[in-house]
Amino acid sequence: MYDLIIIGAGPAGTAAGVYAARKKLKTLLITEEFGGQSVVSETIYNWIGTKEIAGSQLAKDFKSHLDYYNDDDILTLLSGNKVENVMKNDDGNFTVTDSKKQEYITRTVLIVSGSTRRKLKVKGADLLEHKGLTYCATCDGPLFSDMDVVVVGGGNAGFESAAQLSAYCKSVTILQRSKDYKADKITVENVLSKDNVVGIVNTNMLEVTGENFVDGIIYEDIDTKEIRKLNVKGIFIEIGQIPNSNIAKDLLDLTEHDQIKIDPWTQKTSVNGVWAAGDVTNVKYHQNNISAGDAVKALEDIYNYLHA
């Protein structure tokens, strides 16, 4: 019987594991890998306390910090494993089942399984990922200073990325599939008012071009059927995220976008004894530092719950 099972080991899972160990909660942390989405970023500039760090190194640091507390009496790490289901038992405890059909019993659960970026599925996109095509303007944007770049996606996330990029990129072009932007009107007006930002609607992405590095993107004008190419060095994809919430879809209340609904005051979910934090939740902003902070908030509440 565990006091707590943590599912995931990105920024949120790592922070939760460290705090759980320091509070001496008997904890099992289950994860496929350490680092979460950060592991794929070449350089991260916004991890507090570090000027810049490779995503792969940050993942190693996460694991190292958790290994420091790795003790079967306090914190047990189970990596290379995937949780398939979380179920509440009749006695109020929970059964967590992994992909190897192993079952673990716990008094509380913290789901910090993150999300997966929705991929741009066109010719060349997979081959040039991390070679000019990226999914994080905050992490990778500074690498494209004084360059022409494209943001694919006209929602709030796309416009926020474009606003960030406009500060150091030569030009930013926002490509939106439908005829209307999905972002808030005032956001659209503010961002498109910048001298180096332009938006194009009714576009259908066809191909990302380049040999060793991105040199352009080809799209179709949906109205005229004209094929056009933009010569750019960077392509930032903001077409949404897919929360890794499937493990709890039959247990917890989810939003229409499959995010776990939480109380932002405590990180509690709709089921007593289950908390969630990070990108798998309906939190407004998705950032490493926010995920870590929300997980700490959850741990404080879990500790109080277990010792009430």
Side-chain angles (χ1 to χ4, degrees):
M1 170 72 75
Y2 291 96
D3 291 324
L4 169 66
I5 289 182
I6 300 169
I7 302 170
T14 301
V18 169
Y19 269 70
R22 292 185 63 82
K23 291 179 179 296
K24 295 190 175 181
L25 301 180
K26 185 172 177 57
T27 302
L28 172 65
L29 186 151
I30 307 175
T31 185
E32 288 188 83
E33 62 179 1
F34 295 89
Q37 291 188 53
S38 301
V39 74
V40 302
S41 295
E42 182 175 334
T43 309
I44 296 170
Y45 296 91
N46 63 330
W47 183 245
I48 300 303
T50 305
K51 292 179 181 178
E52 59 180 74
I53 186 171
S56 57
Q57 184 58 53
L58 184 61
K60 291 177 182 178
D61 290 350
F62 285 168
K63 185 177 186 303
S64 176
H65 203 169
L66 290 168
D67 280 338
Y68 180 79
Y69 293 102
N70 194 356
D71 182 329
D72 286 342
D73 291 329
I74 300 176
L75 176 64
T76 302
L77 303 178
L78 183 58
S79 61
N81 215 339
K82 183 178 181 180
V83 170
E84 288 197 340
N85 186 53
V86 179
M87 180 180 67
K88 188 164 189 177
N89 305 329
D90 292 339
D91 61 2
N93 295 317
F94 298 87
T95 298
V96 175
T97 306
D98 67 16
S99 54
K100 298 177 182 178
K101 306 306 178 185
Q102 295 294 312
E103 295 184 345
Y104 310 92
I105 309 300
T106 180
R107 297 170 65 191
T108 62
V109 177
L110 174 60
I111 301 175
V112 282
S113 49
S115 65
T116 304
R117 294 272 185 172
R118 195 179 300 278
K119 300 287 187 177
L120 179 65
K121 296 183 178 180
V122 301
K123 183 179 178 180
D126 56 338
L127 298 175
L128 291 168
E129 188 169 328
H130 313 306
K131 298 176 182 178
L133 186 147
T134 178
Y135 290 83
C136 184
T138 304
C139 308
D140 301 328
L143 299 172
F144 297 85
S145 294
D146 299 320
M147 298 182 189
D148 298 310
V149 302
V150 156
V151 174
V152 178
N156 282 318
F159 272 83
E160 288 166 8
S161 292
Q164 291 182 49
L165 293 168
S166 69
Y168 32 76
C169 292
K170 181 179 179 182
S171 73
V172 182
T173 302
I174 303 169
L175 297 178
Q176 163 68 21
R177 181 176 178 83
S178 62
K179 65 178 182 179
D180 297 313
Y181 296 114
K182 304 300 182 183
D184 299 329
K185 187 175 180 180
I186 190 170
T187 300
V188 173
E189 292 173 351
N190 288 341
V191 176
L192 292 183
S193 69
K194 297 179 182 294
D195 292 338
N196 62 340
V197 179
V198 64
I200 305 175
V201 298
N202 284 333
T203 60
N204 182 29
M205 303 306 112
L206 299 179
E207 183 179 355
V208 175
T209 62
E211 293 187 9
N212 299 318
F213 204 83
V214 165
D215 66 19
I217 186 167
I218 297 173
Y219 70 92
E220 176 190 41
D221 184 308
I222 294 176
D223 288 334
T224 66
K225 305 303 178 184
E226 181 182 354
I227 306 300
R228 299 171 181 170
K229 179 180 179 180
L230 292 175
N231 296 314
V232 295
K233 296 297 185 181
I235 300 173
F236 295 81
I237 310 301
E238 290 290 357
I239 54 177
Q241 294 183 318
I242 304 172
N244 299 322
S245 59
N246 195 54
I247 57 175
K249 65 179 182 179
D250 297 325
L251 178 67
L252 306 177
D253 289 345
L254 307 180
T255 69
E256 60 181 323
H257 301 297
D258 292 330
Q259 297 168 314
I260 296 174
K261 292 182 178 180
I262 53 98
D263 171 7
W265 184 250
T266 61
Q267 302 298 131
K268 286 181 178 177
T269 69
S270 57
V271 172
N272 199 34
V274 181
W275 287 254
D279 289 0
V280 74
T281 70
N282 61 333
V283 65
K284 185 174 183 180
Y285 301 109
H286 299 271
Q287 292 289 334
N288 284 345
N289 296 292
I290 293 172
S291 295
D294 283 352
V296 171
K297 187 198 308 178
L299 248 294
E300 295 290 353
D301 204 63
I302 290 168
Y303 182 83
N304 291 335
Y305 172 88
L306 289 170
H307 290 82

